[in-house]
Amino acid sequence: MGSSAVPQSFKREFHSECHFPSPGRFVGLPKAVPTDGSAPLSTLATNASRAHVAILLAVKDGARFLPEQLESYVQQTHRDWSLHVSDDASKDRTIELVQDFARRVSNSVTLRSGPSAGPNSNFLSLLRDTSIEADYFAFSDQDDVWCPDKLERALDLVRTVPGDHPTLYGSRTELIDREGCHSGYSMEFKKPPSFRNALVQSIAGGNTMVFNRAARELLKRVADGNVIIHDWMTYIVISAVGGTIFYDKRPSLRYRQHENNLVGANISLRARLRRVRMLLKGQWQEWNSMLPGIRTPTVL
């Protein structure tokens, strides 16, 4: 892969500033790990500067906003990442943009054909791809803009948990419109993450999620036939087995709102009712049938 500079046209489009409300504390699963940043260094699962993150990017006709998202990977303060792109038969310049990006950066970039069965199946196909190996994994949408410290901030939390314990990080988001202008923030959830909470509410978008290998192994076992929303599924599965979950009240990315979003920011009553209807219709029956066969780990 080449390492030439990012074109100025991309840089002009990229907004490096992330607008945050007053800093807040993060909340984690009760009894999991300290939530004040005081976890001793001896508990670190891996050296964060050497922890490799696989970015799982599902795309389809994303050329309009994709350059900004790709550039925000380059701007990450944590630089040990690879990009794995699954394309669901795009008809615009999406593939060309990814190929050009791969030639310009030194990080590994792979491109594959997706299942063409919707975004959730596309993300799950990336999860199950055995050729993708990493210490940590991060879902990514094609039309957001990551804050420069997104990966670093997530790793600072998830690496405090032993690597064999399923661990998930998610955060609030800053909302932006089609033109990248600030339009608000996603809902701030007050209560700690829990399985009981996960049954009725998804607290973090998949585009904010970073998780370890133990969590990935669990998620690989989920049958995708009835998965409608991969982020809520992720929260349910990891909380159901007693995994550690961090919810960061500080936004980690700029979440673009437009007509092609699958569900949106989950802040309106309509969006939240749609998620609940999916649950009541039994869309996650296959996940529940899978859970009894999973050994529940000891909570730290």
Side-chain angles (χ1 to χ4, degrees), residues 35-230:
T35 58
D36 57 0
S38 61
L41 292 177
S42 61
T43 67
L44 301 186
T46 183
N47 185 304
S49 64
R50 294 195 299 269
H52 183 72
V53 181
I55 301 173
L56 309 179
L57 173 62
V59 298
K60 179 181 174 67
D61 296 329
R64 175 167 182 175
F65 302 116
L66 185 58
E68 271 192 287
Q69 178 65 291
L70 295 175
E71 172 61 11
S72 70
Y73 303 151
V74 176
Q75 298 294 326
Q76 289 300 297
T77 54
H78 180 83
R79 302 188 181 281
D80 189 355
W81 53 264
S82 58
L83 176 62
H84 306 269
V85 185
S86 183
D87 176 74
D88 263 353
S90 291
K91 295 179 173 58
D92 62 4
R93 296 181 59 248
T94 293
I95 292 178
E96 179 184 342
L97 289 170
V98 172
Q99 291 172 335
D100 179 65
F101 182 73
R103 287 190 290 267
R104 293 187 290 100
V105 299
S106 57
N107 301 71
S108 173
V109 178
T110 61
L111 176 64
R112 44 167 281 181
S113 296
S116 295
N120 296 291
S121 292
N122 204 1
F123 277 114
L124 290 176
S125 71
L126 282 165
L127 270 177
R128 298 193 186 101
D129 188 339
T130 57
S131 69
I132 301 175
E133 288 293 336
D135 301 301
Y136 299 96
F137 302 83
F139 289 132
S140 178
D141 290 348
Q142 64 187 7
D143 45 10
D144 301 326
V145 183
W146 284 11
C147 295
D149 65 345
K150 170 181 164 55
L151 291 179
E152 180 180 7
R153 187 146 39 101
L155 291 178
D156 282 346
L157 295 176
V158 296
R159 72 191 180 106
T160 62
V161 181
D164 59 354
H165 186 88
T167 306
L168 171 69
Y169 165 93
S171 78
R172 294 180 69 194
T173 60
E174 178 190 355
L175 308 180
I176 60 175
D177 61 20
R178 292 176 63 89
E179 307 306 320
C181 298
H182 172 81
S183 61
Y185 299 97
S186 63
M187 181 178 294
E188 178 179 339
F189 294 95
K190 306 293 186 180
K191 295 182 179 179
S194 68
F195 179 59
R196 176 183 295 181
N197 170 267
L199 291 176
V200 296
Q201 167 181 89
S202 182
I203 62 172
N207 52 358
T208 73
M209 290 179 172
V210 178
F211 47 94
N212 64 2
R213 273 189 281 189
R216 190 245 189 142
E217 289 305 309
L218 284 177
L219 297 171
K220 282 168 60 177
R221 298 177 60 180
V222 176
D224 68 352
N226 283 336
V227 175
I228 305 300
I229 304 176
H230 68 285

Side-chain angles (χ1 to χ4, degrees), residues 29 164-167 194-195 214-215 218-219 221 234-245 287 290-300:
L29 194 69
D164 59 354
H165 186 88
T167 306
S194 68
F195 179 59
L218 284 177
L219 297 171
R221 298 177 60 180
T234 299
Y235 179 28
I236 289 175
V237 169
I238 295 178
S239 63
V241 300
T244 298
I245 299 173
W287 310 351
M290 173 204 65
L291 292 175
I294 299 177
R295 177 179 175 271
T296 301
T298 302
V299 178
L300 299 180

